[in-house]
Coordinates of all heavy atoms in Angstrom, one line a residue:
M10 N 0.8 -1.2 0.0 CA 0.0 0.0 0.0 C 0.9 1.3 0.0 O 1.8 1.4 0.9 CB -0.9 -0.1 1.3 CG -2.3 0.2 1.0 SD -3.3 0.0 2.5 CE -4.8 0.8 2.0
P11 N 0.6 2.2 -0.9 CA 1.4 3.4 -0.9 C 1.1 4.3 0.2 O 0.0 4.2 0.8 CB 1.1 4.0 -2.3 CG -0.3 3.5 -2.5 CD -0.4 2.2 -1.9
S12 N 2.0 5.3 0.5 CA 1.6 6.2 1.6 C 1.7 7.6 1.0 O 2.3 7.9 0.0 CB 2.6 6.1 2.7 OG 3.9 6.2 2.2
C13 N 0.9 8.5 1.7 CA 0.9 9.9 1.2 C 2.2 10.5 1.3 O 2.9 10.4 2.3 CB -0.2 10.6 2.0 SG -0.3 12.4 1.6
N14 N 2.6 11.3 0.3 CA 3.8 12.1 0.3 C 3.8 13.2 1.3 O 4.8 13.7 1.7 CB 4.2 12.6 -1.2 CG 4.5 11.4 -2.0 OD1 5.0 10.4 -1.6 ND2 4.1 11.5 -3.3
T15 N 2.6 13.7 1.6 CA 2.5 14.9 2.4 C 2.4 14.5 3.9 O 3.1 15.1 4.7 CB 1.2 15.7 2.0 OG1 1.3 15.9 0.6 CG2 1.2 17.1 2.7
C16 N 1.4 13.6 4.2 CA 1.2 13.3 5.6 C 1.7 12.0 6.0 O 1.9 11.7 7.2 CB -0.3 13.5 6.0 SG -1.3 12.2 5.3
G17 N 2.1 11.1 5.0 CA 2.7 9.8 5.4 C 1.7 8.8 5.7 O 2.1 7.6 5.9
K18 N 0.4 9.0 5.7 CA -0.6 8.0 6.0 C -0.7 7.1 4.8 O -0.6 7.5 3.7 CB -1.9 8.7 6.3 CG -2.1 9.0 7.8 CD -3.6 9.1 8.1 CE -3.8 9.0 9.6 NZ -5.2 8.9 9.9
Q19 N -1.1 5.8 5.1 CA -1.3 4.8 4.1 C -2.6 5.2 3.3 O -3.6 5.4 4.0 CB -1.4 3.4 4.6 CG 0.1 3.0 5.0 CD 0.2 1.5 5.1 OE1 -0.9 0.8 5.4 NE2 1.3 0.9 4.8
I20 N -2.6 5.1 2.0 CA -3.7 5.4 1.2 C -4.0 4.4 0.2 O -3.0 3.5 -0.1 CB -3.6 6.8 0.5 CG1 -2.3 6.8 -0.3 CG2 -3.6 7.9 1.5 CD1 -2.1 8.1 -1.1
E21 N -5.1 4.3 -0.4 CA -5.4 3.3 -1.5 C -4.5 3.6 -2.7 O -4.2 4.8 -3.0 CB -6.9 3.5 -1.9 CG -7.9 3.2 -0.8 CD -8.0 1.6 -0.6 OE1 -7.8 0.9 -1.5 OE2 -8.2 1.3 0.6
A22 N -4.2 2.5 -3.4 CA -3.3 2.7 -4.5 C -3.9 3.5 -5.7 O -3.3 4.1 -6.4 CB -2.9 1.3 -5.0
T23 N -5.3 3.4 -5.7 CA -6.0 4.2 -6.8 C -6.4 5.6 -6.3 O -7.1 6.3 -7.1 CB -7.3 3.4 -7.2 OG1 -8.0 3.1 -6.1 CG2 -6.8 2.1 -7.9
A24 N -6.2 5.9 -5.0 CA -6.7 7.2 -4.5 C -5.9 8.3 -5.2 O -4.6 8.3 -5.2 CB -6.5 7.2 -3.0
R25 N -6.6 9.3 -5.7 CA -5.9 10.4 -6.4 C -5.7 11.5 -5.4 O -4.9 12.3 -5.5 CB -6.8 11.0 -7.5 CG -6.8 10.0 -8.7 CD -7.9 10.4 -9.7 NE -7.7 11.7 -10.2 CZ -8.4 12.2 -11.2 NH1 -9.2 11.6 -11.8 NH2 -8.2 13.5 -11.5
I26 N -6.6 11.5 -4.3 CA -6.4 12.6 -3.3 C -6.4 11.8 -2.0 O -7.2 10.9 -1.7 CB -7.7 13.5 -3.3 CG1 -7.7 14.2 -4.7 CG2 -7.6 14.5 -2.2 CD1 -9.0 15.0 -4.9
C27 N -5.4 12.3 -1.1 CA -5.3 11.6 0.2 C -6.6 11.9 1.0 O -6.9 13.1 1.2 CB -4.0 12.2 0.9 SG -3.9 11.7 2.6
P28 N -7.2 10.9 1.6 CA -8.4 11.1 2.4 C -8.1 11.7 3.7 O -9.0 12.2 4.4 CB -9.0 9.7 2.5 CG -7.8 8.8 2.4 CD -6.8 9.4 1.5
S29 N -6.8 11.7 4.1 CA -6.5 12.2 5.4 C -6.1 13.7 5.4 O -6.7 14.5 6.1 CB -5.2 11.5 5.9 OG -4.9 12.0 7.2
C30 N -5.3 14.1 4.5 CA -4.9 15.5 4.3 C -5.4 16.2 3.1 O -5.3 17.4 3.0 CB -3.4 15.6 4.5 SG -2.5 15.0 3.1
G31 N -5.9 15.5 2.1 CA -6.5 16.1 0.9 C -5.5 16.5 -0.1 O -5.7 17.1 -1.1
A32 N -4.2 16.0 0.1 CA -3.2 16.3 -0.9 C -3.3 15.4 -2.1 O -3.8 14.3 -2.0 CB -1.8 16.1 -0.3
L33 N -2.9 15.9 -3.3 CA -3.0 15.1 -4.5 C -1.8 14.1 -4.4 O -0.7 14.4 -4.1 CB -2.8 16.1 -5.7 CG -3.9 17.0 -6.0 CD1 -3.5 18.0 -7.1 CD2 -5.2 16.3 -6.3
T34 N -2.1 12.9 -4.8 CA -1.1 11.8 -4.7 C -0.4 11.6 -6.1 O 0.6 11.0 -6.1 CB -1.8 10.4 -4.3 OG1 -2.8 10.2 -5.3 CG2 -2.6 10.6 -3.1
G35 N -1.0 12.2 -7.1 CA -0.4 12.1 -8.4 C -0.7 10.8 -9.1 O -0.2 10.5 -10.2
V36 N -1.6 9.9 -8.5 CA -2.0 8.7 -9.2 C -2.9 8.9 -10.3 O -4.0 9.6 -10.1 CB -2.6 7.8 -8.2 CG1 -3.1 6.5 -8.8 CG2 -1.5 7.4 -7.1
H37 N -2.6 8.4 -11.4 CA -3.5 8.6 -12.7 C -3.9 10.0 -12.9 O -5.0 10.2 -13.3 CB -4.7 7.7 -12.5 CG -4.5 6.2 -12.3 ND1 -3.8 5.5 -13.3 CD2 -4.7 5.4 -11.4 CE1 -3.7 4.3 -13.0 NE2 -4.2 4.1 -11.8
M38 N -3.0 10.9 -12.7 CA -3.3 12.3 -12.9 C -2.8 12.8 -14.2 O -3.5 13.3 -15.0 CB -2.7 13.1 -11.8 CG -3.5 13.1 -10.5 SD -5.1 13.9 -10.7 CE -4.5 15.6 -10.7
R39 N -1.5 12.6 -14.5 CA -0.9 13.3 -15.6 C -1.4 12.7 -17.0 O -1.9 13.5 -17.8 CB 0.7 13.0 -15.5 CG 1.3 14.1 -14.6 CD 2.7 13.7 -14.3 NE 3.1 14.4 -13.1 CZ 3.9 13.8 -12.2 NH1 4.4 12.6 -12.4 NH2 4.2 14.5 -11.1
S40 N -1.4 11.4 -17.1 CA -1.7 10.9 -18.5 C -3.2 11.2 -18.8 O -3.5 11.8 -19.8 CB -1.5 9.4 -18.5 OG -2.1 8.7 -17.4
T41 N -4.1 10.7 -17.9 CA -5.5 10.8 -18.3 C -6.0 12.2 -18.3 O -6.7 12.7 -19.2 CB -6.4 10.0 -17.2 OG1 -6.1 10.4 -15.9 CG2 -6.1 8.5 -17.4
D42 N -5.7 13.0 -17.2 CA -6.3 14.3 -17.1 C -5.6 15.2 -18.2 O -6.3 16.0 -18.8 CB -6.0 14.9 -15.7 CG -7.0 14.3 -14.7 OD1 -7.7 13.4 -15.1 OD2 -7.0 14.9 -13.6
A43 N -4.4 15.1 -18.4 CA -3.7 15.9 -19.4 C -4.3 15.7 -20.8 O -4.6 16.6 -21.6 CB -2.2 15.7 -19.4
S44 N -4.5 14.4 -21.2 CA -5.0 14.1 -22.5 C -6.5 14.5 -22.6 O -6.8 15.0 -23.7 CB -4.9 12.6 -22.7 OG -5.7 11.8 -21.8
R45 N -7.2 14.4 -21.5 CA -8.6 14.8 -21.6 C -8.7 16.4 -21.7 O -9.4 16.8 -22.6 CB -9.3 14.5 -20.2 CG -10.8 14.5 -20.4 CD -11.5 14.1 -19.1 NE -11.0 12.8 -18.6 CZ -10.8 12.4 -17.3 NH1 -11.1 13.3 -16.4 NH2 -10.5 11.2 -17.1
I46 N -7.8 17.1 -21.1 CA -7.8 18.5 -21.2 C -7.4 18.9 -22.6 O -7.9 19.8 -23.2 CB -6.9 19.2 -20.2 CG1 -7.5 19.1 -18.8 CG2 -6.6 20.6 -20.5 CD1 -6.6 19.3 -17.6
R47 N -6.4 18.1 -23.2 CA -5.9 18.4 -24.5 C -7.0 18.2 -25.5 O -7.3 19.0 -26.4 CB -4.7 17.5 -24.8 CG -3.9 18.2 -25.9 CD -2.6 17.3 -26.1 NE -1.9 17.1 -24.9 CZ -1.3 15.9 -24.5 NH1 -1.6 14.8 -25.2 NH2 -0.7 15.8 -23.4
V48 N -7.8 17.1 -25.3 CA -8.9 16.8 -26.3 C -10.0 17.8 -26.2 O -10.5 18.2 -27.1 CB -9.4 15.3 -26.0 CG1 -10.7 15.2 -26.7 CG2 -8.4 14.3 -26.4
L49 N -10.3 18.2 -25.0 CA -11.3 19.2 -24.7 C -10.9 20.5 -25.3 O -11.7 21.2 -26.0 CB -11.4 19.4 -23.2 CG -12.8 19.8 -22.7 CD1 -13.8 18.6 -22.8 CD2 -12.8 20.3 -21.3
G50 N -9.7 20.9 -25.1 CA -9.2 22.2 -25.7 C -9.2 22.1 -27.2 O -9.6 23.1 -27.9
F51 N -8.9 21.0 -27.8 CA -8.8 20.9 -29.3 C -10.2 20.9 -29.8 O -10.5 21.5 -30.8 CB -8.2 19.5 -29.7 CG -8.2 19.3 -31.2 CD1 -7.4 19.9 -32.0 CD2 -9.2 18.4 -31.7 CE1 -7.5 19.7 -33.4 CE2 -9.3 18.2 -33.1 CZ -8.4 18.9 -33.9
S52 N -11.2 20.2 -29.1 CA -12.6 20.2 -29.7 C -13.2 21.6 -29.6 O -13.9 22.0 -30.5 CB -13.4 19.1 -29.0 OG -13.3 19.3 -27.6
S53 N -12.9 22.3 -28.4 CA -13.5 23.6 -28.3 C -12.8 24.6 -29.3 O -13.6 25.4 -29.9 CB -13.3 24.1 -26.9 OG -12.0 24.1 -26.5
A54 N -11.6 24.4 -29.6 CA -11.0 25.2 -30.6 C -11.5 25.0 -32.0 O -11.7 25.9 -32.8 CB -9.5 25.0 -30.6
A55 N -11.8 23.7 -32.2 CA -12.4 23.3 -33.5 C -13.8 23.9 -33.7 O -14.2 24.4 -34.7 CB -12.4 21.8 -33.6
V56 N -14.6 23.9 -32.6 CA -15.9 24.5 -32.6 C -15.8 25.9 -32.9 O -16.5 26.5 -33.7 CB -16.6 24.1 -31.3 CG1 -17.9 25.0 -31.2 CG2 -16.9 22.7 -31.2
V57 N -14.9 26.6 -32.2 CA -14.8 28.1 -32.4 C -14.4 28.4 -33.8 O -14.9 29.3 -34.4 CB -13.7 28.6 -31.3 CG1 -13.4 30.0 -31.7 CG2 -14.3 28.6 -29.9
A58 N -13.4 27.6 -34.3 CA -13.0 27.8 -35.7 C -14.1 27.6 -36.7 O -14.2 28.3 -37.6 CB -11.8 26.9 -36.0
F59 N -14.9 26.6 -36.4 CA -16.0 26.3 -37.3 C -17.0 27.4 -37.3 O -17.5 27.8 -38.4 CB -16.7 25.0 -36.9 CG -17.9 24.7 -37.7 CD1 -17.9 24.1 -38.9 CD2 -19.2 24.8 -37.1 CE1 -19.0 23.8 -39.7 CE2 -20.3 24.5 -37.8 CZ -20.2 24.0 -39.1
F60 N -17.4 27.9 -36.2 CA -18.3 29.0 -36.1 C -17.8 30.3 -36.7 O -18.5 31.1 -37.3 CB -18.8 29.2 -34.6 CG -19.9 28.3 -34.2 CD1 -19.7 27.3 -33.3 CD2 -21.1 28.5 -34.8 CE1 -20.7 26.4 -33.0 CE2 -22.2 27.6 -34.5 CZ -21.9 26.6 -33.5
A61 N -16.5 30.5 -36.5 CA -15.8 31.7 -37.1 C -15.9 31.5 -38.6 O -16.2 32.6 -39.3 CB -14.4 31.8 -36.6
F62 N -15.6 30.4 -39.1 CA -15.7 30.1 -40.6 C -17.1 30.4 -41.1 O -17.3 31.1 -42.1 CB -15.2 28.7 -40.8 CG -15.4 28.3 -42.3 CD1 -14.5 28.8 -43.3 CD2 -16.5 27.5 -42.7 CE1 -14.6 28.4 -44.6 CE2 -16.6 27.2 -44.0 CZ -15.7 27.6 -45.0
V63 N -18.1 29.8 -40.4 CA -19.5 30.0 -40.9 C -19.9 31.4 -40.8 O -20.5 32.0 -41.7 CB -20.4 29.2 -40.0 CG1 -21.9 29.5 -40.2 CG2 -20.2 27.7 -40.1
L64 N -19.5 32.2 -39.8 CA -19.8 33.5 -39.6 C -19.2 34.4 -40.7 O -19.8 35.2 -41.4 CB -19.3 34.0 -38.3 CG -19.8 35.5 -37.8 CD1 -21.3 35.5 -37.5 CD2 -19.1 36.0 -36.6
L65 N -17.9 34.1 -41.0 CA -17.2 34.9 -42.0 C -17.8 34.6 -43.4 O -18.0 35.5 -44.2 CB -15.7 34.5 -42.1 CG -14.8 35.1 -40.9 CD1 -13.5 34.5 -40.9 CD2 -14.8 36.6 -41.0
R66 N -18.2 33.4 -43.6 CA -18.8 33.0 -44.9 C -20.2 33.7 -45.0 O -20.6 34.1 -46.1 CB -18.9 31.5 -44.9 CG -19.2 31.0 -46.4 CD -19.3 29.5 -46.4 NE -19.7 29.2 -47.8 CZ -19.1 28.4 -48.6 NH1 -17.9 28.0 -48.3 NH2 -19.5 28.3 -49.8
W67 N -20.9 33.7 -43.9 CA -22.3 34.2 -43.9 C -22.2 35.8 -44.1 O -23.1 36.3 -44.7 CB -22.9 33.9 -42.5 CG -24.3 34.4 -42.4 CD1 -25.4 34.0 -43.1 CD2 -24.8 35.4 -41.5 NE1 -26.5 34.6 -42.7 CE2 -26.2 35.5 -41.7 CE3 -24.2 36.2 -40.6 CZ2 -27.0 36.4 -41.0 CZ3 -25.0 37.2 -39.8 CH2 -26.4 37.2 -40.1
L68 N -21.1 36.4 -43.6 CA -21.0 37.8 -43.7 C -20.4 38.2 -45.1 O -20.4 39.4 -45.5 CB -20.1 38.4 -42.7 CG -20.7 38.3 -41.2 CD1 -19.6 38.7 -40.2 CD2 -21.9 39.3 -41.1
G69 N -20.0 37.3 -45.9 CA -19.5 37.4 -47.2 C -18.0 37.7 -47.3 O -17.5 38.2 -48.3
F70 N -17.2 37.4 -46.3 CA -15.8 37.7 -46.3 C -15.1 36.6 -47.1 O -14.0 36.7 -47.6 CB -15.3 37.7 -44.9 CG -15.6 39.0 -44.2 CD1 -16.5 39.1 -43.1 CD2 -15.1 40.2 -44.7 CE1 -16.7 40.2 -42.5 CE2 -15.4 41.4 -44.0 CZ -16.2 41.4 -42.9
L71 N -15.8 35.4 -47.2 CA -15.2 34.3 -47.9 C -16.0 33.9 -49.1 O -17.2 34.2 -49.1 CB -15.1 33.1 -47.0 CG -14.1 33.3 -45.8 CD1 -14.3 32.1 -44.8 CD2 -12.7 33.3 -46.2
P72 N -15.4 33.4 -50.2 CA -16.2 33.1 -51.4 C -17.1 31.9 -51.1 O -16.9 31.1 -50.3 CB -15.1 32.7 -52.4 CG -13.9 32.3 -51.6 CD -14.0 33.1 -50.3
Ligands
ZN103 ZN1 -2.0 12.8 3.2

């Protein structure tokens, strides 16, 4: 069983946040969350670009 880096208490191996002190344990944080944020950012940027394209085309700036 791993222990918390902050308070030293034993925590679940899958716990992302220490139930004792609330510190982040770093378990499954970087890969999943970072990729999810990246996908979220990309999709929102794509939506913004799409609406900008539609708006520009609607206003007659594009052929
Ligand atoms: Zn802790």
Side-chain angles (χ1 to χ4, degrees):
M10 233 175 159
S12 57
C13 175
N14 291 325
T15 307
C16 67
K18 270 204 164 189
Q19 288 202 328
I20 53 175
E21 295 287 329
T23 55
R25 291 168 55 170
I26 299 170
C27 173
S29 180
C30 69
L33 293 173
T34 61
V36 175
H37 297 302
M38 280 293 287
R39 277 168 201 143
S40 55
T41 52
D42 283 8
S44 61
R45 196 178 306 144
I46 287 166
R47 203 176 303 135
V48 167
L49 210 75
F51 175 77
S52 53
S53 58
V56 167
V57 168
F59 174 75
F60 276 110
F62 174 77
V63 169
L64 189 70
L65 285 173
R66 197 180 170 117
W67 182 67
L68 290 173
F70 287 112
L71 293 170

